Amino acid sequence: MRKQIAAANWKMNLTLQQGETLLDTIIATPHSLTDNQQAVFAVPFPYLAMAQQKLAGKKNVFVAAQNCYSKKNGAYTGETSVEMLQSLGIRYVVLGHSERREYFNESNQLLAEKVNICLEYQIQPIFCCGEPLSIREANTQNAYVTKQLEESLYHLTAEQLQHIVIAYEPIWAIGTGKTASSAQAQEMHAFIRAQLAARYGAAVANNISILYGGSVKAANAVEIFGQTDVDGGLVGGASLIADEFVSIINALKK
Ligand code: PEP
């Protein structure tokens, strides 16, 4: 059975002290995670060790980095390798967030390299895909997302693909307060799963968690996560508010 995941993306927000308080509050608030559910915290690089320490031993709770570099090590000042992340015990890395694609020119090809190196070091990518507004308005979102998956993931074997989590994040819904309707989310998630099934077989496709991202909050999480092919969410703004994020965790399907 595929995992249901509530992943917090703090982006470039919060001081260390604010981050500590947020995690302490979330840990202290009763929330239920079944064996099939996970909560993941993608925190800024300087806070990875702190988060890892605070969440150590917490069942089904993991820390993620928000990025990594595509090379193993060497003279790449300012970059962070997956070997470094592995040495901290980090489980996940968010790759290909639309903000990285847009502001840091990350291409599908570069992301394929990052996916490869993460898998080599047993770190699971949370691979983001999703279309801008102009593509949605032209109704060509399926082709757009297919290309992202094709160029960054479809070189993987079926065994490798099972270690990927996909996050579908329509760019027009990120940080805008505009959520895709639950029907729009389900439609794209079912489309992605059908593409994976055509390529890797239904058994593999049914095992891949596909998260929705784009203005998820406590008020809409139950409805969005309730869709058949939506396996939780990647959450920006609402993940910075403890009781919002706890409600989002509690909205995961059992
Ligand atoms: C995100 O950061 O991936 C995101 C979906 O942000 P928000 O929830 O704020 O739209």
Side-chain angles (χ1 to χ4, degrees):
M1 210 153 78
R2 56 184 184 257
K3 298 269 180 242
Q4 306 295 308
I5 302 171
N9 178 13
W10 289 5
K11 312 193 188 195
M12 196 177 75
N13 289 302
L14 307 177
T15 62
L16 175 65
Q17 292 72 24
Q18 289 168 333
E20 287 182 310
T21 304
L22 179 57
L23 282 182
D24 285 339
T25 313
I26 292 172
I27 294 165
T29 310
H31 55 271
S32 52
L33 281 173
T34 65
D35 282 349
N36 200 41
Q37 299 174 330
Q38 293 183 358
V40 175
F41 294 87
V43 305
F45 285 125
Y47 308 163
L48 285 171
M50 172 281 286
Q52 192 65 7
Q53 224 168 18
K54 275 200 189 294
L55 301 175
K58 301 269 177 292
K59 200 165 165 242
N60 296 335
V61 180
F62 300 100
V63 178
Q66 297 176 12
N67 184 27
C68 67
Y69 197 45
S70 56
K71 306 284 186 217
K72 280 193 177 175
N73 52 39
Y76 302 104
T77 303
E79 291 296 336
T80 301
S81 73
V82 284
E83 189 180 43
M84 293 171 188
L85 300 177
Q86 188 194 49
S87 70
L88 283 169
I90 300 303
R91 167 72 73 103
Y92 289 105
V93 176
V94 177
L95 289 182
H97 191 282
S98 59
E99 289 149 16
R100 298 229 41 101
R101 291 175 186 267
E102 185 180 347
Y103 306 137
F104 302 96
N105 299 317
E106 296 202 359
S107 65
N108 292 340
Q109 289 68 26
L110 174 70
L111 293 169
E113 289 176 33
K114 292 189 176 189
V115 165
N116 290 346
I117 198 154
C118 283
L119 294 178
E120 196 180 325
Y121 283 84
Q122 294 86 44
I123 290 182
Q124 285 188 254
I126 299 177
F127 178 81
C128 303
C129 57
E131 79 285 355
L133 186 59
S134 57
I135 296 289
R136 173 61 66 163
E137 284 174 345
N139 200 26
T140 52
Q141 63 273 11
N142 288 1
Y144 189 93
V145 170
T146 298
K147 187 169 155 67
Q148 290 179 319
L149 299 177
E150 233 165 45
E151 294 185 355
S152 298
L153 296 185
Y154 285 177
H155 62 286
L156 299 175
T157 64
E159 203 288 315
Q160 288 175 314
L161 192 82
Q162 314 247 26
H163 300 289
I164 306 282
V165 170
I166 293 175
Y168 168 62
E169 300 205 305
I171 298 171
W172 45 273
I174 297 178
T176 57
K178 218 184 205 183
T179 322
S181 68
S182 49
Q184 283 173 318
Q186 167 57 23
E187 190 179 28
M188 178 56 87
H189 283 228
F191 173 75
I192 292 172
R193 203 177 303 285
Q195 296 284 303
L196 297 176
R199 189 139 196 133
Y200 291 97
V204 173
N206 284 333
N207 231 0
I208 306 281
S209 301
I210 308 177
L211 316 186
Y212 169 79
S215 300
V216 171
K217 45 187 183 286
N220 59 25
V222 171
E223 185 182 339
I224 295 173
F225 296 175
Q227 303 302 306
T228 314
D229 288 289
V230 177
D231 307 311
L234 179 57
V235 185
S239 75
L240 302 173
I241 305 162
D243 54 354
E244 275 281 313
F245 194 63
V246 170
S247 298
I248 289 167
I249 293 172
N250 289 335
L252 289 171
K253 278 200 283 281
K254 297 288 176 223

